[in-house]
Amino acid sequence: MNKMAGSRLILLSFALCFLAPSLDASEGDADPTYMACLEQCEKSGCVGEKCFQHCKFSSDGKPIDGPWYLQEPLYLKWKQWDCRSDCRYHCMVAREDERRKLGAKPVKYHGKWPFQRVYAIQEPAAVAFSAICLALQFHGWITFFILLNYKLPLRPDKKPYYEYTGLWHIYAILAMNFWFWSAVCHSRDVELTEKVDYSSAVALIGFSFILTILRTLSVRDEASRVMVAAPLIAFVTTHILYLNFYKLDFGLNMIVCVAMGIAQLVIWGVWAGVTRHPSRWKVWLFNVGGVLALVLEVYDFPPYKGFLDAHALWHAANIPLAYLCWSFVRDDAEFRTLTLLKKIN
């Protein structure tokens, strides 16, 4: 039914896998000027003339009531911007200003490009686009629900004729959950938000893989669906538990994401080649857009004006793809419903 869902998750899997090295050492980390700035900031709580009020020191230079990086008021703790984070950020900004004056190109620090904060938001463009994708997923889900329950004929028991209704409801919930945590993670990337973001993505990719198999093979019997879904659910659950409670292994996660994504692409590709679905043109249009969006992930470049990088543009590319995806889902629901009614009559 929805090659778009499979392709969408392939793009998602690549996106998450490219985010994986975010904690690796980068060129900016080893910059002597940057390292000296960090060392000075850890001693004084200041970068140049800018000092952080939540880094409290006594007159002899010793931290008050414990280590300096623990002296954060509650209104700052919820943002997770502590003294250490502020030192890193402002030292990075200062160093990048110096590099720009010398004509040097931006470099990554702690695995990330030098973004400009906006109201304590780490990557404002990615957050904004994630929020829009979340809204579109919700809109697509609601319009799908209205179509099934108020516009298309219902069975005598008031249930939709469309056999994959429940599966798409679950998909919508998982997709909205992912985009929500994507926005949160790009607002402030810490270990907790990163784990939840990765877990949400793997859950979405895994369920999409299940949905891919069930729809392309037209599996309608509940017992058969359970036989298909059970081992995949067990695998995805085990992988999520491994990432959260044993090791956040980015390399392994890359393999898992890409494997499930490629499998879906192959399955939907075969299905699209043999189907006579009246809206299959939307599948091909989605795939073209999906490939172009994937290029944005492959072609990594520093953020323009400190805001718009390749990954943020990937988020933006998902906006029309989300709309197109749910458009096809609604078409498929209508097509399958009318097909079943013709068989009954």
Side-chain angles (χ1 to χ4, degrees), residues 206-328:
F207 183 78
S208 179
F209 190 20
I210 294 172
L211 182 54
T212 295
I213 297 174
L214 298 181
R215 179 59 185 91
T216 56
L217 298 181
S218 298
V219 180
R220 303 183 182 90
D221 179 71
E222 290 299 325
S224 300
R225 288 185 174 185
V226 171
M227 292 178 63
V228 172
L232 293 174
I233 292 175
F235 171 75
V236 170
T237 301
T238 302
H239 181 63
I240 291 175
L241 292 174
Y242 177 89
L243 292 176
N244 282 274
F245 299 106
Y246 183 72
K247 182 181 179 182
L248 194 59
D249 191 328
F250 301 121
L252 175 62
N253 190 61
M254 179 185 297
I255 295 173
V256 172
C257 290
V258 172
M260 289 194 294
I262 291 178
Q264 292 176 66
L265 178 62
V266 172
I267 294 172
W268 282 113
V270 173
W271 180 84
V274 299
T275 186
R276 294 185 177 181
H277 200 288
S279 297
R280 59 185 177 274
W281 65 271
K282 293 184 179 181
V283 176
W284 299 119
L285 181 60
F286 183 95
N287 282 347
V288 171
V291 171
L292 295 177
L294 181 57
V295 172
L296 293 173
E297 281 300 314
V298 176
Y299 182 62
D300 189 24
F301 58 82
Y304 177 73
K305 299 294 185 180
F307 295 104
L308 203 62
D309 70 332
H311 184 65
L313 290 177
W314 175 84
H315 281 258
N318 274 276
I319 295 173
L321 293 181
Y323 181 84
L324 187 60
C325 173
W326 280 105
S327 174
F328 185 87

Side-chain angles (χ1 to χ4, degrees), residues 114-118 122-126 302-309 312:
F115 288 94
Q116 291 288 335
R117 291 185 194 171
V118 175
Q122 190 170 340
E123 299 178 39
Y304 177 73
K305 299 294 185 180
F307 295 104
L308 203 62
D309 70 332

Side-chain angles (χ1 to χ4, degrees), residues 174-199:
L174 291 176
M176 290 185 291
N177 177 69
F178 164 71
W179 285 114
F180 171 79
W181 286 111
S182 174
V184 171
C185 185
H186 286 87
S187 296
R188 181 67 176 100
D189 185 6
V190 295
E191 183 179 5
L192 175 61
T193 58
E194 187 176 57
K195 284 184 176 181
V196 178
D197 184 37
Y198 273 68
S199 299

Side-chain angles (χ1 to χ4, degrees), residues 126-194:
V127 171
F129 294 142
S130 293
I132 296 174
C133 286
L134 171 60
L136 283 175
Q137 288 290 341
F138 180 73
H139 174 268
W141 182 34
I142 292 299
T143 54
F144 175 64
F145 178 85
I146 292 174
L147 174 69
L148 289 176
N149 293 278
Y150 297 100
K151 295 183 178 180
L152 293 178
L154 297 174
R155 297 178 185 272
D157 58 1
K158 302 301 181 181
K159 293 183 179 180
Y161 280 96
Y162 188 48
E163 314 98 313
Y164 305 95
T165 300
L167 295 174
W168 281 112
H169 286 326
I170 296 174
Y171 173 84
I173 293 172
L174 291 176
M176 290 185 291
N177 177 69
F178 164 71
W179 285 114
F180 171 79
W181 286 111
S182 174
V184 171
C185 185
H186 286 87
S187 296
R188 181 67 176 100
D189 185 6
V190 295
E191 183 179 5
L192 175 61
T193 58
E194 187 176 57

